[in-house]
Amino acid sequence: MDAVISNTDDLHTIFSTRGLTKIYQMGEVQVKALRGIDLELYSGELVVMLGPSGSGKSTLLNILGGLDTATDGSVTYHDIDLTSAGDRDLTEYRRFNVGFVFQFYNLIPSLTARENVAIVTEIAKNPMDPAEALAMVELADRMDHFPAQLSGGEQQRVAIARAIAKNPEVLLCDEPTGALDSKTGIVVLEALERVNKTLGTCTVLITHNVVIAGMADRVIRILDGKIAEVQKVEKKISPGELEW
Amino acid sequence: MKAINWKMVRDLDNMRAMVFVIAIMIISGVATFVTLLSTLDSLRSTQRAYYQEYFFSNIFASLKRAPGSVISRIREIPGVNRVSARIWAGANISLSGFDETIRGLVISLPDEGEPLLNRLYLRRGRRPTPYSSDEIIVGDAFAQAHKLQIGSLMTAVINGREKELKVVGIGLSPEFIYQANPGSIIPDFERYAILWMGKTALEAAYDMQGAFNNVTVSLTYQANEAEVIRRLDEILEPYGGLGARGRVDQPSHFYITEELKQLGQMATIIPTIFLAVAAFLLNVVIGRLIQTQQGQIAILKAFGYDNIEIGWHYIKMVSVIVIIGLAGGVFLGMYLGKLLAGVYAEFYRFPFLQYRLDPGVFLAAATVSFGAASAGVLFAVRRAVLLPPAQGMLAESPKIFKQNWVEKIGLAGFLDQPTKMILRQLSRHRLKTIFGIVGIAFAASLVMLGRISEDSISYAVDVEFRQAQPYDLSVSFEDATSSHALTELKRIRGVYYAEAYRTIPVRMRFGHRNYLTSIQAYPKKRVLKPLLDSNQREVQIPGYGVLLTRKLGDILGVKTGDTLRVEVLEQSRRVMNLPVAGFMNQYFGLSGYMSLEELNRVLPEKELISGAYMNIDQRQEKQITQELKKSPKVAEILSTQSIIAKFYESTAQTWLIMAFFVSLFAAATAFSVVYNNARISLSERNRELASLRVLGFTRGEISYILLGELWIVVLLAIPVGMLFGWLITAFMIWSLQTDLYRIPMNITSFTYSLAAITVIISTLLSTVILRRRLNKLDLIGVLKTRE
């Protein structure tokens, strides 16, 4: 199934993949995580990628973010061919263009919330002030706390602040609410939506939770390493209206 | 400060126990390095300064007697700068409250002004009043041994005449930095004294008015020393010159040079081995530490930090640890270096000590420490950054474990699950297990290295003194005397048996090589002085010719059958051509050996003896000694027991102090290695062990899983460490040979045991510390976070 929208007059393509394939070696087992994905992502949109565990959505996200390399096929970011990029080029690509939010936050335990954001802004070209990024996720009053002193939801919001503080063009979120209860999850989703609207960042959100798809511009379903369906959401709902 | 630097600071703070223990390893290596090298440097620098400031001579000559007019002829020799002609007189000294024989050497001082050469450093008091007849300056070693003060009195028999002397000054001379009694290599500060007296007084006491019997010379820049010696010998020969010698042959300078040479070798090799081992261990430990940061490295990569920035971050982190270790090591090394140099200076009678630490030593230590740590960092970081960040952040897929050989041979049924976990962990991570064994083995080998001096010294003393010298007393005469003296000795009540010997000072020549030494001649049939080689085998004295110690043979470049030209430097001063009869290996000294019968045959003065060895009734030793002292012929009486005691008090002491510090540092390194290995293992398996606690395992049971692995590695490492220790010791022994000392290879079972015990105690300590950590595992945290 193709995730390319034919009428591209109003949309600016950021990512384009063709025949993207990824095979992993896990111990003694070979795992075909992606089996030839063709996809385009556009600036400013909020895309939700749905799929069960093991469907390949995280793998796709990692390759888009330059965290992993493809076995076959191609990925371009604007005019940059990411599949042939070396480690140095991918590092630079992530440094200036991509923000990540992970399921288990991956904060540096020895840094405060503000410092966890600063560690990224200090190497970015045109970053926000860390305090400003934390204010966007409503954590202005918890800036000097360590991760161990924050709840799961707060930690995830710090991670979002860290991801957006560099003013990235792309925000990639891998199961951002997976480790949170629904109420906290909604708070996190609201933060993501706010960021998407305010900064115009292309936001890709991976989840196995179908309900979250309601807040997306497009929903891409992935199954067994292939795109099963691409759906434009006619009527988006706000995260506050989601229930699970 | 940048956030990434805060991360570094707080990470270091979180693992401060490990930082401290790693720093101990570095401190041990660096301190050993700095202690020994700065001691050596300081002693060399002090020796140079002392010689320079106190005009230590270049050439020394003794003679029978020459008139003062000869001095001007000596001054005219091209290359001669200053000439100092003196009187040297042997004396027997009596001190109230001390019953034993004291031999003394009395040296003349100009009545007015300073001597031109070999000036005295006055510790206390003053020079003798000009032309005074009974005032002396006494050597400070002797003064210290007998607690002499300014104004103390003593009686000296010089040239058969008794004289009461008063101490007005206590001093030192660069000529007697090492104060061995003539004929011995071991100082005996209680029984041998150096005294200085006004020239006029000594002339009168020794019947040497207007004459001299000892002369020293300093050379001009670029003078030809050999030529000056030759010309000097020509001038002094008619006056009974015994052969001039250069500074290299001057006893004090020779011994201290040999000692410093050996210290130099020890001070180069031991710390190098130490630092190399410490560097290797540091490299391994840091590598494993960085590996535990793999997840964080992946996150940093995900954020866009490049490999250089990540590598630099961890190099900075490790550099903090290295700087702590370096600083601690340098300060501790300087403190101990000063202490050790002070002990040497005290023993060698330097008047002052110029302690210095060559910046090169610090730089070398810093380079090695930083280099090793950085190598460890870079290797580990490189491994981590090679992984794509996504894989780095993933939980590791469960490792492939298999049944190991213990289980395959059918013992699986006898093993419980925890034991299987231990064995499979060891066999799965073979490289890590091997590195752990090798690291701990190296630490154990360092403990053995520290014992090298003590084991070898004890063995050499045992062979050289106890076994090779089964006599109770040895007596030496002032001059070679008739063999009737032996009969007289045998008649003394309490003397069971006596055997004579003759020692003659000689210069041996072969081709262009020559060496100033002595020939010792013993009766072919004897029991009290077996000639033992370094393998404790008795060597037969040849019926003709001369037997040389192996080292002396090498110096002269002779082989068996070659003819040596031997110039006798006493009595008839006969020049003999003697065939080399063979060689023997000995630990100490460079001598030739002949049969007394053969020597008497070739020398015109027949049947002379230099001394005798005696077996006595030990209960009557004091009376026998008193009886012997009455004879004016007797120069020195020595008992074997006191020789051994003196040896341990003197020469051995410095080596043993050094050995103590090396052993201490080795033990600290051993603890550091064992603890770090275990601590990092705990970090790596934290989650697994906490999960077991969640499942209901007791603290003791999970301790068994972690610490069982540690103990197996330690117990495997101990025999490997003993092997490494043997190899390192053999290498050290081989490189420590000097002209004077050939250290034997001897490792006692105590040393092997000490290495094992040190490692075991380190492991026990680590066990106690880690057990406390295991008791605090976060069980809830395990349930919440992903693998």
Side-chain angles (χ1 to χ4, degrees), chain B residues 534-584:
Chain B
S534 52
N535 295 322
Q536 295 164 265
R537 282 191 307 249
E538 185 161 355
V539 176
Q540 293 305 321
I541 290 194
Y544 74 101
V546 62
L547 183 74
L548 301 179
T549 49
R550 178 80 263 170
K551 191 70 190 181
L552 178 57
D554 291 341
I555 291 172
L556 291 169
V558 292
K559 54 185 189 305
T560 306
D562 284 340
T563 302
L564 268 181
R565 185 181 154 86
V566 178
E567 299 165 9
V568 179
L569 300 175
E570 65 168 21
Q571 297 285 334
S572 62
R573 303 174 67 79
R574 166 65 62 101
V575 175
M576 311 182 282
N577 291 323
L578 293 174
V580 176
F583 302 97
M584 64 178 288

Side-chain angles (χ1 to χ4, degrees), chain A residues 37-94:
Chain A
I37 300 251
D38 295 327
L39 170 69
E40 278 182 4
L41 298 170
Y42 308 102
S43 71
E45 67 168 341
L46 196 155
V47 171
V48 167
M49 278 192 198
L50 283 178
S53 184
S55 57
K57 47 189 198 299
S58 291
T59 307
L60 175 59
L61 198 84
N62 289 339
I63 293 175
L64 290 175
L67 294 179
D68 206 349
T69 49
T71 312
D72 203 2
S74 71
V75 179
T76 47
Y77 170 75
H78 292 293
D79 297 325
I80 304 167
D81 180 4
L82 294 180
T83 34
S84 62
D87 183 72
R88 193 169 284 199
D89 292 329
L90 286 176
T91 303
E92 199 176 293
Y93 158 67
R94 288 196 302 276

Side-chain angles (χ1 to χ4, degrees), chain A residues 7-34:
Chain A
N7 179 5
T8 57
D9 287 348
D10 301 327
L11 300 168
H12 177 56
T13 307
I14 295 183
F15 281 109
S16 178
T17 75
R18 291 288 176 266
L20 190 63
T21 306
K22 176 70 183 183
I23 301 171
Y24 281 115
Q25 194 73 30
M26 304 276 282
E28 290 178 339
V29 173
Q30 239 189 21
V31 175
K32 282 193 182 145
L34 298 176

